[in-house]
Amino acid sequence: EISSEPIANIAKEGNGYAKLTYIENSLIEDNEEVVTEINCDSVVGEIYEFDSVKDVQLFKAACPGKYKLEVWGAQGGYRQTNSNGGQGGYSSGEITLVNGETLYVYVGSSGNNGGYNGGGTRSIGHGGGGATDIRLSNDLYSRVIVAGGGGSDGGTAYKGGYAGGLAGQSASGGYGTGGTGGTQTAGGTNRGEFGIGGSGLSQHSGHGGAGGGGWYGGGGVNPNDSSDNERGGGGGSSFVYTEFAEIPSSYNVDKKYMLTNTTMYSGAQTMPDKKFNTTSVGNSGDGYARITYIESIENNSNNDVVIKLVGNQGTVINDTLIYQKGAKLGTLEIPTTSTQYSFVGWYVDQEFT
């Protein structure tokens, strides 16, 4: 027997047909909190690289886990001699992300390439090098890691300051005022600001250097000589978000994004080379950023989840809950000894109470 309509136990002619039937109400027991499992195909050790394209680049975490962030600041501009442009700095640290979280990557360009991302400007010659940073949004106040850019030269014989480290180098030699390095709490003199290097002025036949971008930008130079003998601009400072970081009141990043295993090198120090498996003293040319997936939550060998009491409510009998190896990730028995807890450790939600 054949029918044009879908009828049980009778062959159907014409187009195909599919049927789903709800056959069971599977209830979760009252004593369990279930976090959705996340399937992930990314391989630990996978590297994501970002060159300077003079625009924001987005990175979306494909898997929950730990990621290493590395950033190189850009070199300051120069008019004749490459080595007169201040070298960029380097910063690194590790951050834990959940599936789907997005990072905003800003890679600075050298002063001779426009000084994108905070390099100070100048009307004669090239400006300061741009910083390279990674943020949680487009806002400067959401940066979690920064590598400062170097200051530009001033007169053709005077170098720009190298980037920090905690503080950028203050340029020396030559005439003019300003050109100090950015620090963890202030921009350099003159016109150095949060995230932006100070401009270098041209007046009295002199051409002052421009500051490099950074956590705080290096200062620009005001000429005061009648010849082309002005000092270079100051280097910008670098930054990593940790519990010891000095942050302004407008900073808006949750503490769960604090970095671990951090390093910062100034443009005068030996650092990992941005492209090759070797080292270099400071960074030359454009900036660069690298994100490496270094540890999976699912495969983490440390299965401890610390339980911390919130608001002194109740009593914690055992302050450590052990995930059994092989147990379903994200299935957690709710403790019965307290009414409110904060869970800190390797779990998908990161912050739930």
Side-chain angles (χ1 to χ4, degrees):
E1 186 176 357
I2 298 176
S3 171
S4 61
E5 299 297 328
I7 300 174
N9 302 319
I10 296 179
K12 183 185 179 299
E13 64 180 356
N15 294 331
Y17 182 76
K19 182 178 181 181
L20 295 177
T21 303
Y22 179 46
I23 60 173
E24 183 179 351
N25 180 9
S26 180
L27 297 176
I28 298 173
E29 295 182 8
D30 291 339
N31 68 338
E32 289 188 338
E33 180 79 14
V34 176
V35 179
T36 303
E37 281 194 89
I38 298 172
N39 295 320
C40 173
D41 296 326
S42 291
V43 177
V44 171
E46 190 166 353
I47 297 173
Y48 306 85
E49 300 176 281
F50 303 87
D51 288 303
S52 180
V53 297
K54 300 183 182 180
D55 201 357
V56 61
Q57 303 172 69
L58 301 183
F59 169 80
K60 189 172 184 179
C63 308
K66 187 178 289 188
Y67 293 81
K68 182 177 182 179
L69 311 181
E70 296 177 274
V71 287
W72 288 258
Q75 181 184 10
Y78 57 90
R79 293 159 65 191
Q80 293 182 5
T81 306
N82 183 306
S83 60
N84 282 349
Q87 302 291 94
Y90 168 84
S91 300
S92 69
E94 297 171 6
I95 190 170
T96 299
L97 300 173
V98 300
N99 186 21
E101 284 194 294
T102 299
L103 299 178
Y104 295 70
V105 183
Y106 286 77
V107 181
S109 65
S110 70
N112 283 40
N113 191 23
Y116 173 77
N117 201 29
T121 61
R122 62 196 298 211
S123 58
I124 303 295
H126 303 288
T132 297
D133 66 72
I134 298 177
R135 317 177 188 184
L136 300 180
S137 71
N138 287 313
D139 189 351
L140 274 174
Y141 289 94
S142 72
R143 294 178 293 174
V144 297
I145 188 168
V146 182
S152 80
D153 64 0
T156 56
Y158 296 99
K159 295 182 177 183
Y162 54 76
L166 291 173
Q169 182 191 31
S170 296
S172 60
Y175 293 90
T177 60
T180 60
T183 69
Q184 293 299 291
T185 57
T189 308
N190 298 294
R191 295 171 292 280
E193 301 177 16
F194 186 70
I196 302 173
S199 58
L201 303 185
S202 291
Q203 56 191 29
H204 310 302
S205 299
H207 310 294
W215 176 240
Y216 281 90
V221 173
N222 295 345
N224 61 7
D225 186 55
S226 60
S227 59
D228 191 8
N229 289 311
E230 309 304 320
R231 72 181 56 161
S237 59
S238 297
F239 171 79
V240 288
Y241 182 37
T242 70
E243 61 180 317
F244 305 108
E246 298 183 82
I247 54 178
S249 59
S250 298
Y251 193 69
N252 55 14
V253 178
D254 194 290
K255 290 182 179 180
K256 69 182 180 181
Y257 294 109
M258 284 182 173
L259 306 185
T260 59
N261 297 326
T262 59
T263 60
M264 278 195 299
Y265 295 121
S266 77
Q269 293 179 295
T270 300
M271 61 181 63
D273 188 86
K274 63 187 177 186
K275 292 287 188 178
F276 304 102
N277 188 25
T278 182
T279 58
S280 62
V281 177
N283 180 55
S284 300
D286 290 339
Y288 184 73
R290 178 188 299 142
I291 299 176
T292 306
Y293 180 44
I294 61 172
E295 188 173 348
S296 166
I297 287 179
E298 293 90 340
N299 294 327
N300 181 29
S301 59
N302 178 8
N303 296 302
D304 292 353
V305 177
V306 179
I307 304 176
K308 297 192 300 183
L309 201 60
V310 177
N312 294 321
Q313 299 182 33
T315 302
V316 178
I317 295 175
N318 181 359
D319 65 0
T320 302
L321 175 69
I322 306 297
Y323 273 121
Q324 297 299 318
K325 290 186 177 181
K328 182 178 179 181
L329 178 68
T331 300
L332 189 65
E333 291 188 2
I334 295 179
T336 58
T337 55
S338 176
T339 58
Q340 190 177 15
Y341 290 86
S342 173
F343 295 84
V344 181
W346 289 102
Y347 47 80
V348 175
D349 269 2
Q350 292 234 0
E351 281 194 342
F352 56 88
T353 57

